[in-house]
Amino acid sequence: MRLATTFGVSLHLCLVASAGRTAYDHIIVGGGSAGLVLAERLSRDPTVSVAVLEAGSLTEQNRTLIPALYSGFIWDPEIDWRFTTVPQKHVSDNVLLLPRGKTLGGTAAVNGMYFVRAAKNEYDAWETLGNPGWNWDTVNANIKALENFIPASSKDAKTFHATDSASNHGKGGPIEVTYSTYWEPAPLIPAYFSSFNALGIPTNKHASGGDTIGVWQAPCAIDAENRSRSYAVNTFLHPNDRRENLHIITGAHVTRTILADEQLSKAGDVRAVGVQYIADNETRSIHVTERGHVVITAGTYQTPKLLELSGIGNASILKEKGITARVDLPAVGENLQDHVGVLSCFELKDGLGPSVGALNVDSEYTAQQWELYTEERKGALASVHGTTVAMIPFQKIIKADTWTTLKASLDKSLQQFRGTPYEKQIALQRSQLDDESIPQIEFVLLPMLADPTVKAEPNRSYITIGTVLLRPFARGSVHLESDDPLKHPLIDPNYLGITEFETAVMTEALKFVAESLTQTKPLSTLIAAQLSPPSGSSHAELEAFVQQRAFSVWHPAGSASMLPKEEGGVVDPQLKVYGTENLHVADASIIPLQIGTHTMATVYANALRAGEIIEKIYHDAADVNKDTEDSQQKPIHVEL
């Protein structure tokens, strides 16, 4: 089935080789969400040339564009990088999957499509950490510039709380954003809201306005008309793929940034002169012009690896791998942060109505839904399932005396950061625990059975409640395994690394789900049985469950942090890599302190701002050169 027929959109894409060109003004490494937004922004100027190198290709598969099928890409070597962690010491030594999109559009081409913001104070913290201009106002303005928000129907807004003030969203931007339209079983979501409300957690009707506390519906990057994924390829790339100054080179696995042997700036910084890549089993290279820039947007896991392969990183690590350090930058690959989750599963009572989970077990239901989607763009396939979320501070779910004990335990554990580059950010994060406007834990309602260890029975309906630790204190790392550029990096997120505290708060969150939320009317009246973790589990059993079942929630950040160099920074507020003249990073790896939300909209917004920054640097350099030339060619008039 061709997407041109299925979705009614043009699929023309000019995927070209360098067409004889050997130098570009801007080379972008990675054609994911950040890379394509950046490429579109920079190529608006017809006088500059832009090349994007992407290891994957254009994915034209229903499972990535049809909202309900987004998770079908996992472990498919055509579109998933198939990254894994090293054994996680605090998660029973498990090796965990880290799905990442290997395609144009990157992970935004395959993820759950949430288009949401963090709390205001979380973005403002970036500025506090030494990044002038990086705050709520700038990030939110760029998110709005990207967004074309379509509200839910009045019925869905009233019944299922799919509501937010239009003033919190953008209108007319390239990325289509709207709510899900399939809410079955119908009694479930209203009951979820009401039970949270009964426990003192309010409904949030303005979660995109900088206050994310409460229970609310997450809008998604879905085209409201044809109910398909709206992402960087069909919003930024397709409308502009005929620009003669924009070249997209797919199947290009970049192996390193080429640094000049002797060309140094007055500050002694090294200059990137191009990139080397492998395509069709052949090593090739392209270069940047005299004022050109190389921008790495390869993602949180691969950007540090590329810097290290280029000779930029911790000199000791590079020496161990046989790589000469050109820039000794110890923070490369450090400060890795990711959200970590566990699942609680329940069987629902009979007679509540259809469930999207039937897509996995009921062939007749599945056939009906395919027909409904193909013909009318309606039904279970037309929506992301699991957009009902509650984001709350720990104080709302943990008893006061227990919370006091846990904070004392945390303070003891955090002493390990004293005297390290991360002391300031850890202290700031610790202070935010007492700020109840910043969420620390998330509960996601999934109207299906999402635990693969529990077998779904025909004609039964289930729900899963995902419990997500939004702001982990543990810091991990990602480094190259060897000097072989085709090998995956060694990724150690260090999940639950602040073991006593992080395991304890996740355990308390599981207890809240089992003993409070699902035991409170009206949600309690819909549930037949708790399946996982087993009903009646003791505190110790729940703690063991957390340490055995924790998993990545796909939001890695921080491995090339935007921070002062002495505080663990890799890039400055202009996104320039320390010690280099013209090498930048513009993906999720720059986020210095993890945000308590799903990260896609923020990554898009940061890339748009990166385009503005790099464009200004490029043209400022041109003005300087012109002034220099003019001063050399014209006599200087001095008035006496």
Side-chain angles (χ1 to χ4, degrees), residues 22-208:
T22 58
Y24 293 83
D25 296 304
H26 304 292
I27 297 176
I28 299 169
V29 179
S33 52
L36 294 184
V37 170
L38 181 63
E40 190 281 326
R41 179 67 179 79
L42 292 173
S43 65
R44 291 178 193 176
D45 181 349
T47 69
V48 302
S49 55
V50 179
V52 178
L53 292 91
E54 165 57 39
S57 59
L58 174 64
T59 299
E60 302 181 26
Q61 301 186 43
N62 287 336
R63 59 180 163 164
T64 63
L65 292 184
I66 295 177
L69 304 184
Y70 71 89
S71 63
F73 83 102
I74 297 175
W75 210 245
D76 182 339
E78 290 186 10
I79 50 177
D80 182 5
W81 279 100
R82 304 208 298 180
F83 294 129
T84 59
T85 68
V86 300
Q88 291 299 283
K89 178 180 178 181
H90 308 292
V91 189
S92 302
D93 285 326
N94 292 339
V95 174
L96 305 179
L97 299 183
L98 301 172
R100 295 280 94 187
K102 185 181 181 181
T103 178
L104 279 174
T107 304
V110 292
N111 65 4
M113 290 165 259
Y114 277 33
F115 199 88
V116 293
R117 295 144 170 87
K120 177 182 184 298
N121 289 349
E122 296 185 89
Y123 293 124
D124 288 345
W126 298 359
E127 189 165 53
T128 301
L129 289 171
N131 300 298
W134 291 88
N135 52 42
W136 162 260
D137 290 337
T138 56
V139 175
N140 187 49
N142 280 308
I143 292 177
K144 283 187 172 182
L146 293 161
E147 185 180 25
N148 185 43
F149 177 69
I150 305 297
S153 69
S154 58
K155 178 182 177 181
D156 285 354
K158 180 179 179 179
T159 306
F160 303 107
H161 304 280
T163 182
D164 202 338
S165 170
S167 64
N168 290 335
H169 295 272
K171 189 68 176 176
I175 297 178
E176 301 289 338
V177 177
T178 192
Y179 289 100
S180 292
T181 54
Y182 187 85
W183 310 101
E184 302 292 351
L188 180 61
I189 290 174
Y192 193 73
F193 273 81
S194 295
S195 290
F196 265 112
N197 296 162
L199 292 167
I201 310 299
T203 296
N204 189 333
K205 298 181 179 181
H206 50 264
S208 295

Side-chain angles (χ1 to χ4, degrees), residues 118 212 374:
T212 59
T374 301

Side-chain angles (χ1 to χ4, degrees), residues 208-395:
S208 295
D211 173 11
T212 59
I213 297 296
V215 56
W216 43 280
Q217 290 294 345
C220 293
I222 295 175
D223 188 308
E225 183 176 350
N226 67 21
R227 303 301 304 179
S228 64
R229 180 188 297 272
S230 179
Y231 72 120
V233 170
N234 55 23
T235 61
F236 280 88
L237 189 55
H238 282 325
N240 304 294
D241 60 17
R242 294 183 184 275
R243 289 180 181 173
E244 294 183 358
N245 63 331
L246 174 59
H247 289 171
I248 310 295
I249 308 173
T250 59
H253 191 124
V254 175
T255 57
R256 67 184 177 98
T257 298
I258 304 169
L259 303 178
D261 292 333
E262 298 179 356
Q263 293 179 22
L264 300 176
S265 69
K266 293 180 180 179
D269 296 334
V270 299
R271 177 172 177 76
V273 295
V275 300
Q276 184 181 83
Y277 65 98
I278 296 173
D280 298 325
N281 297 316
E282 178 184 340
T283 298
R284 306 173 185 179
S285 62
I286 56 175
H287 296 83
V288 291
T289 57
E290 184 179 357
R291 299 198 325 271
H293 296 262
V294 174
V295 190
I296 301 179
T297 56
T300 299
Y301 298 140
Q302 301 224 85
T303 287
K305 174 187 143 181
L306 280 172
L307 289 173
E308 290 177 330
L309 287 169
S310 306
I312 302 171
N314 187 315
S316 297
I317 293 176
L318 298 183
K319 182 178 180 180
E320 180 183 309
K321 306 301 181 184
I323 297 173
T324 300
R326 297 293 309 280
V327 178
D328 185 5
L329 193 54
V332 170
E334 302 297 327
N335 202 37
L336 177 63
Q337 301 156 67
D338 189 17
H339 296 155
V340 60
V342 289
L343 302 175
S344 302
C345 300
F346 303 83
E347 182 180 332
L348 296 178
K349 292 181 178 179
D350 293 337
L352 296 180
S355 170
V356 67
L359 288 171
N360 298 320
V361 294
D362 188 334
S363 59
E364 182 178 350
Y365 173 81
T366 302
Q368 292 172 348
Q369 293 304 317
W370 269 105
E371 182 177 358
L372 186 60
Y373 181 78
T374 301
E375 299 299 325
E376 301 181 45
R377 291 295 185 268
K378 295 180 179 179
L381 293 169
S383 294
V384 173
H385 302 286
T387 62
T388 308
V389 304
M391 292 187 174
I392 55 183
F394 289 131
Q395 292 91 327

Side-chain angles (χ1 to χ4, degrees), residues 378-515:
K378 295 180 179 179
L381 293 169
S383 294
V384 173
H385 302 286
T387 62
T388 308
V389 304
M391 292 187 174
I392 55 183
F394 289 131
Q395 292 91 327
K396 294 294 185 181
I397 64 167
I398 301 176
K399 293 179 180 178
D401 56 346
T402 301
W403 181 230
T404 299
T405 301
L406 289 177
K407 286 196 293 183
S409 165
L410 174 65
D411 290 337
K412 184 177 180 180
S413 296
L414 295 185
Q415 291 179 11
Q416 66 185 276
F417 291 103
R418 290 183 179 177
T420 72
Y422 304 108
E423 182 173 6
K424 180 178 178 180
Q425 65 161 282
I426 291 294
L428 176 59
Q429 184 179 346
R430 171 61 181 85
S431 72
Q432 291 174 336
L433 278 182
D434 299 318
D435 182 350
E436 295 191 24
S437 73
I438 295 178
Q440 303 290 344
I441 201 83
E442 177 185 25
F443 298 100
V444 183
L445 175 64
L446 305 169
M448 66 191 77
L449 183 60
D451 185 342
T453 68
V454 179
K455 183 180 179 181
E457 299 293 337
N459 303 316
R460 299 287 185 182
S461 295
Y462 306 87
I463 63 168
T464 301
I465 298 176
T467 297
V468 181
L469 180 61
L470 292 173
R471 300 177 59 77
F473 282 89
R475 298 297 190 263
S477 64
V478 51
H479 294 290
L480 76 175
E481 179 180 354
S482 73
D483 61 356
D484 181 351
L486 298 182
K487 284 192 174 182
H488 283 176
L490 296 173
I491 305 170
D492 182 9
N494 192 26
Y495 293 126
L496 306 180
I498 305 298
T499 310
E500 185 173 344
F501 176 80
E502 293 180 341
T503 302
V505 294
M506 291 294 277
T507 301
E508 291 294 328
L510 281 182
K511 288 174 63 177
F512 171 79
V513 170
E515 299 175 9

